[in-house]
Amino acid sequence: MTALLVWSANRPRTAPQPAPQIEAEAAPPSRYPNPWPDPPPADVAALLDGLAPGAPLPAGFVVRGISPVHEQRIVIDVERGELGFRVWVVQRGTDDRRPPGSSEHYAVYFVQPRPTVDAIDDDARREVLREVLRRVRKTEATTAMPAGL
């Protein structure tokens, strides 16, 4: 018994191991990240007649975000559940493609549909584009063109 006590007193000790770290679960990243969560700059908001993130649009769509002028366009990101797309507002004549809608100074385009182009009903897409154009037509005569557009 004495030998057992001597052996246990003299056996090599291992340093205590730190408790395993359990990582907290992070919120999953957005499937479609939106880099414009804040209200748009004043000149963009003025052109769009106050349209802002969270605003309702026709066909049940909602504005996710509105960009400042970037690469000579304003990007309006819209969604309805898992469906979404972007509307580009550009200065008329700066894009070679025929726009689905235009005003005196601006053109609008339907881009980046999600999850697929077939998932977006044509009538819903047209209604959203018409609403954006309605707002632009209402303000374009009295609002300066946003810088960079």
Side-chain angles (χ1 to χ4, degrees), residues 26-39:
S30 173
R31 192 166 159 197
Y32 303 106
N34 174 18
W36 312 293
D38 299 322

Side-chain angles (χ1 to χ4, degrees), residues 20-129:
Q21 296 293 321
I22 299 173
E23 292 186 32
E25 287 188 35
S30 173
R31 192 166 159 197
Y32 303 106
N34 174 18
W36 312 293
D38 299 322
D43 57 350
V44 171
L47 177 65
L48 298 175
D49 193 31
L51 193 65
L57 291 167
F61 283 90
V62 174
V63 175
R64 289 184 74 223
I66 301 173
S67 76
V69 175
H70 178 69
E71 296 180 355
Q72 295 182 300
R73 67 179 144 245
I74 298 166
V75 179
I76 304 167
D77 194 6
V78 303
E79 70 180 352
R80 181 182 73 201
E82 291 294 314
L83 302 177
F85 59 94
R86 287 182 167 171
V87 177
W88 286 354
V89 178
V90 301
Q91 185 178 358
R92 191 171 173 176
T94 59
D95 195 303
D96 293 336
R97 295 171 289 182
R98 183 172 175 226
S102 62
S103 68
E104 186 177 343
H105 300 290
Y106 301 95
V108 295
Y109 292 91
F110 165 82
V111 296
Q112 298 174 324
R114 55 187 187 269
T116 66
V117 71
D118 294 332
I120 309 296
D121 176 79
D122 288 341
D123 289 335
R125 173 185 48 84
R126 279 191 288 268
E127 287 181 48
V128 170
L129 290 174

